[in-house]
Amino acid sequence: PADAGQADEERLMPAWQALDANKDGQVALGELHPFQAQVMQNHDANGNGTISITEYVSYDLDPGAASRIPIPDNVRLIEDLPYAATDDPRQRLDVYLPGKHAGKSPLPVVAYIHGGAWAMGSKVSARSQILPLVETGRFAAVSIAYRLSWQAGWPALACATEDGGQG
């Protein structure tokens, strides 16, 4: 399969170029709507006041910059567990477990599937909602990623078979 980052850049290039109001090949925060600039500023990794295509991909995959939310000491995060027989990073899930179980019965599991209209977002966006629940010791959680519509049209098959076909 194609490198996910490269595919994301190719997919998002037209939208990124459309943000370049003065067509100088750079997307300056000043060219954006103030709300959009405020959100995208979190993705200006080098702090130069412009959004590169790589930074725009970061915004697309994690609009709220949830990946920057620290994992509390009393939560164990198991990341990127594959749930399909592919090496696609979008067909993985994260498991959040409390460090200390608050009770004797099995924990209920909160399953989080991110929004984004099948076009953007990622499993990391769950952190702000599920970390407070898991920290109580009363819940475990999973955050599930999925292929986006530009990767696989409906009805897409879940995985590749051993002989290389779709299964």
Side-chain angles (χ1 to χ4, degrees):
D3 174 68
Q6 182 180 1
D8 286 331
E9 287 188 12
E10 290 172 13
R11 171 183 64 91
L12 292 170
M13 184 63 74
W16 178 78
Q17 289 171 330
L19 294 173
D20 181 11
N22 63 8
K23 305 300 178 204
D24 67 353
Q26 298 182 52
V27 176
L29 292 171
E31 293 178 277
L32 304 173
H33 181 278
F35 176 75
Q36 191 176 30
Q38 181 181 6
V39 173
M40 282 197 196
Q41 186 172 8
N42 292 330
H43 297 275
D44 182 9
N46 59 9
N48 68 354
T50 65
I51 301 297
S52 68
I53 184 62
T54 302
E55 292 166 334
Y56 190 65
V57 168
S58 169
Y59 162 76
D60 182 70
L61 294 176
D62 185 12
S67 61
R68 296 185 183 144
I69 297 172
I71 304 301
D73 291 339
N74 64 342
V75 173
R76 180 174 169 223
L77 171 59
I78 305 168
E79 294 182 281
D80 295 324
L81 297 173
Y83 63 80
T86 73
D87 59 358
D88 189 327
R90 288 200 175 87
Q91 290 183 302
R92 297 188 181 165
L93 58 86
D94 292 345
V95 177
Y96 296 81
L97 300 170
K100 188 169 188 174
H101 185 272
K104 296 184 184 203
S105 60
L107 292 173
V109 176
V110 175
Y112 181 98
I113 302 172
H114 70 85
W118 302 97
M120 64 181 287
S122 75
K123 62 186 169 50
V124 74
S125 62
R127 288 185 183 179
S128 61
Q129 289 92 16
I130 64 177
L131 283 174
L133 295 171
V134 176
E135 280 186 287
T136 68
R138 297 181 0 227
F139 300 92
V142 295
S143 182
I144 305 162
Y146 54 85
R147 289 181 297 182
L148 302 177
S149 59
W150 59 269
Q151 286 184 281
W154 191 87
L157 300 174
C159 61
T161 61
E162 288 183 24
D163 65 0
Q166 294 290 307

